[in-house]
Each structure stands twice: as structure tokens, then as C-alpha cells.
Amino acid sequence: RAAVEDARDGAHLIAHHHLRQHSLRRCFNNADSQHLREEPREPLLDRRSLIEFPTKYNLRGSLSWEKDGFRMATFINHLPSYTNTFTPTPTTVSAYTTVDLTLGYTFGDNAGALGGLGFAVEVSNLFDKEPPLARVANQLFDSNNASALGRLVAFRVRKSF
């Protein structure tokens, strides 16, 4: 039976600092509570940090640098450990931290026809970190919080007019 009531509280905090050509950004998501009531007369149950529910917090930090059309940005993503209740005995899914990187160049407006043209290479999961073990249905990882694809590399071309 579907949940009758779902109550959520939390906070989302972003701090952004500029230091000349450098930028530092931190993002913190906090789930103070994630309560579910399965029957109208049942008490609200806290579901934070259980599989398929928000973790108590997650973090994303970035550091970027730009100068003369060049750009570099790195991102650190952290998901804390949580409990897998899909197994006969609840198990802990390990914390998961990945690093993303973007390198790019954009031609300035004084570059003639190339002005506003930008190139970038974006790498997700730079160090090819494997997702933590979480037995869910017919797979060994939690696809809501991790990817089995490993490192992904994308090339981007942009043109502004």
C-alpha cells in the first residue's frame, strides 16, 4: 500500500567565494527528517539514510579558475553511508565520493569569426571510482545514488552570438 503521509524538513546551503580569477563553491544538503506514515493511525517513521530515501546530508564542493579564455573547474561530490533495507538483514552501503573535472577555452570577442566559440572537455568520475556494493533487485549497486558507467568523458563545443 502506498504511503498515506510524507513529511520532509531540511536545508540547502550554498557558499560561493570569488578570489580574483578563482572561485570556491560549497553546497550542503541536509535532510533534518524524512518521515513516512504507512497507515493513518501508525506513527511517523524516520526514513532518512535508508535506501530509496534521502541521506542525512550530501556535499558538493567546487573550485574553479578562469583567465584569458581558459577555464578549469573541479567538483568533489560526497554521499554518506546509508542503510540497505532490501536485503534480508539490513546492511550498510559505504560512503561514495567522486571527483569531476572540466577544462575549457573560449575565444574572446576580438577573435573575429571565432569570437564566442568555446571548447571544453568534461570528465565525470575522474578517478573511475566504482559504486559501493548495494544489492538492489537484480543489480549490485544503487542506481539512485551511483552509476555503474564509471568515468565519462564528454567534449563540448559552444558558440555564442
Side-chain angles (χ1 to χ4, degrees):
R1 179 174 175 171
V4 175
E5 185 176 344
D6 182 357
R8 299 172 194 218
D9 295 312
H12 180 78
L13 172 68
I14 296 177
H16 199 170
H17 307 284
H18 287 285
L19 308 165
R20 294 186 187 180
Q21 293 102 4
H22 300 80
S23 176
L24 176 64
R25 183 178 175 127
R26 296 170 300 217
C27 181
F28 175 79
N29 289 317
N30 177 35
D32 289 334
S33 63
Q34 169 77 38
H35 291 90
L36 228 70
R37 185 188 325 261
E38 295 179 3
E39 296 291 333
R41 292 188 178 102
E42 299 263 328
L44 284 170
L45 303 173
D46 188 0
R47 300 292 189 191
R48 285 178 307 169
S49 294
L50 296 179
I51 199 161
E52 292 201 337
F53 291 94
T55 54
K56 291 182 183 178
Y57 67 91
N58 62 44
L59 302 170
R60 179 171 171 91
S62 69
L63 177 63
S64 63
W65 170 84
E66 290 185 46
K67 185 170 181 168
D68 300 329
F70 290 97
R71 179 174 189 271
M72 184 280 304
T74 185
F75 304 87
I76 298 174
N77 313 291
H78 177 75
L79 185 74
S81 63
Y82 57 97
T83 303
N84 182 357
T85 56
F86 289 169
T87 55
T89 302
T91 58
T92 298
V93 178
S94 299
Y96 187 53
T97 302
T98 59
V99 176
D100 304 333
L101 177 69
T102 299
L103 299 171
Y105 180 79
T106 301
F107 290 95
D109 293 335
N110 59 354
L114 294 177
L117 180 65
F119 299 91
V121 60
E122 300 169 345
V123 184
S124 297
N125 195 359
L126 179 66
F127 300 112
D128 201 20
K129 175 112 185 230
E130 291 194 20
L133 177 66
R135 295 184 193 280
V136 180
N138 61 349
Q139 59 193 27
L140 296 176
F141 72 101
D142 177 8
S143 60
N144 289 322
N145 289 312
S147 171
L149 297 177
R151 180 185 308 118
L152 293 176
V153 179
F155 297 96
R156 185 173 37 130
V157 178
R158 275 177 36 171
K159 173 73 172 148
S160 60
F161 299 93

